Amino acid sequence: MTAAEAARQVAKHPIQARNPIQVLGRSALSAVRMVGGVGVFAVRGTIAALSPPWFFNQLLRQFVAIGFFSLPVVGLTAIFTGAALALNIYTGGGRFNAEQVMPQIVALGITRELGPVLAALMLAGRVSAAIAAEIGAMRATEQIDAMRTLSTDPFRYLVGPRLLAGVLMLPLLTVVADTIGVSGGWLVATRVLDFSSAVYIRNTVDFLQGWDILSGLIKAAVFGFIVALMGCYHGYNAKGGARGVGRATTHAVVSSAILIFASDYLLTTFFTHAAK
Amino acid sequence: MTEATPQLAWPKLAWKGVTKRFEDRTVLDGLDLSVAPGKSLVIIGGSGQGKSVTIKTALGLMRPDAGRIELDGKDTVNISEHARRKLFSRVGVLFQGAALFDSLTIWENVAFRLINADGVPRKEAKDRAIEALEQVRLAPAVADRFPSELSGGMQKRAGLARAVVAQPEILFFDEPTTGLDPITAAAINELISDQVRRLGSTAVSITHDLASAQTIGDEIAMLHDGKIIWRGPAAELRMTDNAYVSQFVKGRAEGPIAHAV
């Protein structure tokens, strides 16, 4: 039996794959297959997003669905996080008499890290799941096949606009999250902690550098790509009717969240080294 | 058992030795089948015999493991995506569940190809979509509704309007009457026959529904174990002494076809 035949046997009869080496091999093969699949999908999607023909109606629809309708959830998350962050830093900073730098630390934490990451996580829950469910249902009901027979490439019509909207909308949502998050800190500082409003704003504005905001926006663009890509990939490859669509939705959210944290660390490391 | 398949000098569409396997199961086993220009062929057969796979391989939605599929004598298997999109412009398909796009109105569904592939302005595309809807006896008021607001029969009609709006050379019908009551099914059959005749298109349909097969088909072919085991004029379906066809037509559990349940 060749290695390929053995791999097929294992895939067909998973119950027989009790040998730990077989289990390990099966998992490794499956992981490699998935990484390769996602890579090819990402390249095809990117080409579809960046080359004509563009479907402007679809693009506009995705801008609204991904950007505009995510504003409330991103705004609410940001304001509570900014407020809690301000309280924590004020209390913690008090241990070494550093309460007064709280505005600067809140601003730095929000713009560089929490703004883009929280907005992306909210988008993963709201948008990635919705994309996977919608495209998965289209796959299950032959709508994607129908689209192909109507001489329209589903990658250009479905995947490209969503990737573009993810990359362009998440940085905009991050600007909103940054502004509202810092405002949450200001609200707590001035209403609860007796900070002067003018001093808080001046400290924040004087301290923040353009790169603090820009690095967060670059992260947001990458996270936006990940969120849209995972939704599209898992939806497009959904199999097995309603159960398959449910599975695709779960996988889209979980893989988006993990990839957001992993790429956040890698990008932060890169930015830190680049700044030296 | 197998009756001779007519060899056409210039078939519009031909499957030549097409094989398709799923893991260890062979669904199409060297399928040879052809359809003459302007004729309507209906493929019948039990569940899981490869009828849908036959259509999907012809459409390029599924790649055969071996064999050729030719349209006007030209291979359609090993072609670029661009060439396939051009090929699709000559084809109309009515899917089993109609496969209308949920997020678009009925007229946008019908005009989808015109707007997105052919670059027809929306105003003109809407007029043509409404005209196509009228041809399948759907009122213009339906045009602005969404698919979820229509009954199954109306969705099938809208799907038929979408299939014929660009006046294709070949039409594929995948189980056109499945899930419909007998009266609606008869209406759909009549509409399909009307449209195929009006356009002069070549048609390939798959169905379990023998009344549908005899209404819309000039010829009927029976698929069993991945091969065509009988083919003949629609009128002869109920008269043949082929044991497989006879069992299928009479709906008997006993016979050469091993039943799945």
Side-chain angles (χ1 to χ4, degrees), chain A residues 1-238:
Chain A
M1 188 186 287
T2 66
E5 281 167 350
R8 270 200 296 276
Q9 283 294 320
V10 169
K12 254 183 345 198
H13 306 291
I15 199 82
Q16 294 169 7
R18 297 286 170 88
N19 180 333
I21 294 172
Q22 285 181 325
V23 172
L24 193 67
R26 191 158 59 98
S27 306
L29 277 175
S30 163
V32 168
R33 200 178 302 128
M34 183 170 165
V35 170
V38 171
V40 171
F41 194 93
V43 171
R44 278 187 71 187
T46 306
I47 292 169
L50 299 178
S51 59
W54 289 292
F55 296 100
F56 290 106
N57 272 354
Q58 275 297 303
L59 199 56
L60 192 65
R61 198 174 280 197
Q62 295 309 319
F63 281 168
V64 173
I66 294 177
F68 183 73
F69 287 119
S70 298
L71 277 172
V73 70
V74 168
L76 282 170
T77 311
I79 196 160
F80 290 125
T81 304
L85 189 65
L87 277 175
N88 275 320
I89 291 170
Y90 183 81
T91 314
R95 294 177 199 161
F96 42 93
N97 299 319
E99 299 98 324
Q100 294 309 311
V101 294
M102 183 266 276
Q104 292 90 326
I105 298 176
V106 167
L108 199 66
I110 294 279
T111 54
R112 282 192 168 215
E113 187 67 28
L114 290 173
V117 169
L118 288 177
L121 287 176
M122 289 301 107
L123 226 63
R126 210 191 78 79
V127 171
S128 195
I131 292 175
E134 187 182 359
I135 296 182
M138 290 182 76
R139 167 66 76 197
T141 53
E142 294 187 306
Q143 290 177 49
I144 291 180
D145 286 343
M147 193 173 284
R148 287 193 65 201
T149 65
L150 294 166
S151 304
T152 305
D153 181 358
F155 264 79
R156 295 191 181 279
Y157 192 84
L158 296 173
V159 179
R162 283 165 174 81
L163 290 181
L164 263 184
V167 170
L168 296 176
M169 285 296 107
L170 193 52
L172 289 180
L173 286 169
T174 300
V175 170
V176 173
D178 288 353
T179 310
I180 295 179
V182 170
S183 304
W186 167 83
L187 208 63
V188 165
T190 54
R191 305 287 167 192
V192 181
L193 304 174
D194 289 332
F195 269 70
S196 151
S197 175
V199 170
Y200 191 100
I201 293 169
R202 196 175 58 242
N203 281 354
T204 302
V205 172
D206 288 349
F207 177 76
L208 271 185
Q209 295 175 355
W211 178 243
D212 296 329
I213 297 165
L214 188 63
S215 63
L217 298 185
I218 294 171
K219 281 182 178 181
V222 174
F223 299 161
F225 182 78
I226 288 170
V227 165
L229 178 69
M230 287 298 103
C232 292
Y233 174 78
H234 289 289
Y236 203 87
N237 292 294

Side-chain angles (χ1 to χ4, degrees), chain A residues 11-12 44 53 55 57-58 61 134 137-138 141-153 156-157, chain B residues 23-24 56 60-61 81 84-85 88-89 91 93 95-96 99-104 112-113 116-117 122 162:
Chain A
K12 254 183 345 198
R44 278 187 71 187
F55 296 100
N57 272 354
Q58 275 297 303
R61 198 174 280 197
E134 187 182 359
M138 290 182 76
T141 53
E142 294 187 306
Q143 290 177 49
I144 291 180
D145 286 343
M147 193 173 284
R148 287 193 65 201
T149 65
L150 294 166
S151 304
T152 305
D153 181 358
R156 295 191 181 279
Y157 192 84
Chain B
E23 296 187 348
D24 56 349
K56 285 185 174 171
L61 299 174
E81 270 302 301
R84 192 169 300 286
R85 272 198 295 282
F88 279 138
S89 68
V91 168
V93 187
F95 285 85
Q96 188 171 348
L100 298 173
F101 305 121
D102 308 314
S103 57
L104 302 180
F112 191 89
R113 181 202 298 274
N116 296 299
R122 282 177 75 82
R162 185 174 70 179

